[in-house]
Amino acid sequence: MFADRATIWIRSGKGGDGCVSFRREMYVAAGGPDGGDGGNGGNIIFEVEDGLNTLTDFRHIRKYAAEDGENGRSKNCSGKNGADRVIKVPAGTIIREESTGKVIADMSGENRREIILKGGRGGKGNRHYATATMQVPKYAQPGQDAKELTVLLELKVIADVGLVGFPNVGKSTLLSRVTNAKPKIANYHFTTLNPNLGVVDLDGHQGFVIADIPGLIEGASEGIGLGYEFLRHIERTKVLIHLVDAASTEGRDPITDIYTIHAELNAYKKELGERPQVIAANKIDAIFQEDGEKSPIERIQEEFEPQGIKVFPISAVSGKGVKELLYYVQELLSTVDTAPIVFEKEFFPEFMQDPTLPYTVKQEEEGRFSVEGPRIERMLGYTNLDSEKGFEFFQKFLKENGILEELEQLGIVDGDTVKIYGFEFEYFK
């Protein structure tokens, strides 16, 4: 089965200890301290590997550790730095802290290599501690401890267009016709188990990436069947094509199918249901219609086109109507933001390892307060306050760490100004 989730344990390298040593040579009566520094521990680094498209490897190897730094030695010899551990992942992999589910990194777009856990710093040898009054220091600094974390890797397919629909409506057939992808095609009663990606090339227009998202069933948003695994891959898509069996070859009503899938998208994540959509009414060459009876295509168009959702009758087998569908999808794509959908960072391993960093909250004058300290400064460095999600995360950080409560105890009221280093905010409860 397609592997799109894996849980692994990662550990950076411990810093090597500094050395306590003194120079001892013939004819040198009182050699001073010559203890060398310990080497730095190796980092845990995640890197995108273009040839990978699943997380299968992580089902066999679940523990990844960087090398420890070597201890310092005498004669001012420093220990060797520990080797980094580079972990290769496919593009689109999200790294989450397991217990909270918060995003540590999204390996998408321009983010192709990121240090997730930094190795411990090597300790200083005793030569650093010699003073006029302490000429024989018998103390060296120990290396910093290693950092370890259990993380959840989650692969979300990167595609411009998502092809959604119930099992066996023809998604794989359509994908194989419009792209160079070669999915397995057969009359499976259940569903394709892995997403297939292909590139659509259009004459005179920019191409786009389309993903055949495995078939959804009612209750998918609640995890029924393989619901979560399938819905996860739709999150990065910008336009959705609802593919339905207009001929009802398996006895299902296409209009009911569309509403069912739309409800599952909304239940999983509301913004999915708000993305631009188009309906592809497939299998038109298999439609049987009694004289005087309204065609299934007319029924679908009358139901959804007044809602602003265009309906295209197509045959994925013969290719009829497919070209018109693709050009319309390209038009929809030209109306949406072209920037890749990247998930905001929510969890900071380096910061969370040291929650004891201090901060101060004080009132500078009437209606003006300030918040400072290395803890705040470090968090600001990690947070993109220009993005809505980044700003919400910083507000949550202030609340969870009791900073907003301290401001209220100092008498802050709505409209007062809070100064945090180079930023000024208006306070509203």
Side-chain angles (χ1 to χ4, degrees):
M1 182 183 160
F2 179 74
D4 66 352
R5 294 189 95 191
T7 301
I8 63 172
W9 174 85
I10 56 177
R11 174 189 175 274
S12 63
K14 177 190 177 301
D17 296 335
C19 176
V20 176
S21 174
F22 298 92
R23 186 180 175 195
R24 292 291 180 264
E25 295 179 25
M26 191 178 294
Y27 309 118
V28 179
D34 68 350
D37 301 341
N40 296 326
N43 302 319
I44 292 288
I45 301 171
F46 279 76
E47 187 174 83
V48 171
E49 178 74 37
D50 290 328
L52 293 177
N53 52 24
T54 75
L55 300 174
T56 304
D57 292 347
F58 298 102
R59 300 217 165 161
H60 309 297
I61 304 174
R62 295 180 178 270
K63 292 186 177 181
Y64 297 81
E67 197 173 66
D68 294 340
E70 289 186 356
N71 294 335
R73 299 187 296 276
S74 59
K75 298 182 180 179
N76 295 318
C77 291
S78 296
K80 192 173 100 175
N81 291 336
D84 296 335
R85 184 64 188 266
V86 179
I87 302 172
K88 307 280 190 175
V89 294
T93 300
I94 293 178
I95 305 164
R96 298 180 185 273
E97 197 277 324
E98 185 201 30
S99 61
T100 63
K102 291 182 177 179
V103 176
I104 299 172
D106 184 351
M107 307 305 292
S108 305
E110 296 180 0
N111 187 26
R112 299 185 60 83
R113 183 181 171 92
E114 183 168 341
I115 297 174
I116 301 301
L117 289 182
K118 287 188 176 179
R121 189 174 59 247
K124 293 180 179 179
N126 68 336
R127 63 193 170 97
H128 291 278
Y129 300 100
T131 66
T133 56
M134 174 63 74
Q135 296 182 8
V136 285
K138 296 179 180 178
Y139 169 81
Q141 187 182 37
Q144 281 186 339
D145 289 335
K147 299 180 178 72
E148 58 183 64
L149 201 60
T150 300
V151 296
L152 173 65
L153 306 182
E154 190 176 79
L155 179 60
K156 295 179 188 286
V157 168
I158 299 175
D160 302 306
V161 178
L163 194 57
V164 297
F166 270 73
N168 205 32
V169 294
K171 297 190 302 299
S172 297
T173 304
L174 178 61
L175 187 74
S176 66
R177 169 165 286 281
V178 302
T179 75
N180 57 357
K182 300 197 176 349
K184 292 180 181 178
I185 300 171
N187 188 24
Y188 298 119
H189 181 68
F190 291 100
T191 179
T192 307
L193 287 181
N194 59 294
N196 293 292
L197 270 75
V199 178
V200 175
D201 293 317
L202 295 175
D203 292 338
H205 289 75
Q206 186 175 350
F208 56 85
V209 179
I210 186 169
D212 156 25
I213 306 298
L216 300 177
I217 59 173
E218 192 166 4
S221 60
E222 299 168 7
I224 294 176
L226 298 172
Y228 284 138
E229 281 76 1
F230 295 163
L231 284 162
R232 182 178 302 119
H233 296 294
I234 306 175
E235 291 191 55
R236 293 193 197 271
T237 57
K238 301 187 176 89
V239 171
L240 297 178
I241 300 176
H242 285 264
L243 195 68
V244 292
D245 177 2
S248 301
T249 57
E250 294 203 345
R252 289 198 312 270
D253 176 48
I255 292 177
T256 302
D257 281 2
I258 294 168
Y259 278 124
T260 299
I261 287 177
H262 192 75
E264 293 303 322
L265 296 176
N266 274 315
Y268 180 73
K269 193 163 281 189
K270 191 171 185 294
E271 49 263 42
L272 287 182
E274 297 171 353
R275 296 208 177 140
Q277 300 174 24
V278 59
I279 294 169
N282 191 25
K283 303 187 181 182
I284 56 172
D285 42 7
I287 292 176
F288 176 76
Q289 183 181 345
E290 297 278 357
D291 291 339
E293 186 180 47
K294 188 177 290 186
S295 76
I297 301 300
E298 288 178 302
R299 288 178 52 239
I300 298 169
Q301 288 174 331
E302 288 175 2
E303 181 70 26
F304 293 101
E305 291 198 339
Q307 301 178 33
I309 303 174
K310 184 84 171 163
V311 178
F312 286 86
I314 70 163
S315 168
V317 173
S318 69
K320 186 175 181 181
V322 170
K323 188 175 180 182
E324 292 80 1
L325 168 68
L326 297 178
Y327 275 103
Y328 180 76
V329 168
Q330 177 58 52
E331 283 181 31
L332 284 181
L333 280 171
S334 67
T335 66
V336 298
D337 186 4
T338 56
I341 296 173
V342 177
F343 292 80
E344 294 281 348
K345 192 179 184 82
E346 300 172 328
F347 187 90
F348 307 90
E350 187 174 287
F351 174 76
M352 297 302 176
Q353 293 287 338
D354 190 7
T356 59
L357 288 172
Y359 64 85
T360 58
V361 180
K362 61 184 180 181
Q363 183 171 7
E364 293 185 339
E365 57 187 60
E366 185 70 29
R368 191 174 182 83
F369 298 79
S370 69
V371 180
E372 293 182 345
R375 190 173 187 183
I376 307 299
E377 191 172 21
R378 183 179 291 186
M379 181 53 71
L380 275 175
Y382 288 137
T383 310
N384 178 15
L385 295 180
D386 292 331
S387 78
E388 185 178 345
K389 287 186 178 178
F391 188 73
E392 286 177 1
F393 177 74
F394 189 67
Q395 283 184 307
K396 187 177 179 183
F397 163 79
L398 295 178
K399 182 178 180 180
E400 289 179 349
N401 286 273
I403 295 169
L404 295 183
E405 186 179 345
E406 289 191 37
L407 285 168
E408 289 171 5
Q409 289 174 356
L410 289 173
I412 195 169
V413 296
D414 286 358
D416 285 353
T417 299
V418 180
K419 180 184 175 185
I420 304 178
Y421 288 96
F423 298 91
E424 290 193 357
F425 306 96
E426 208 169 338
Y427 176 83
F428 288 101
K429 189 168 183 179

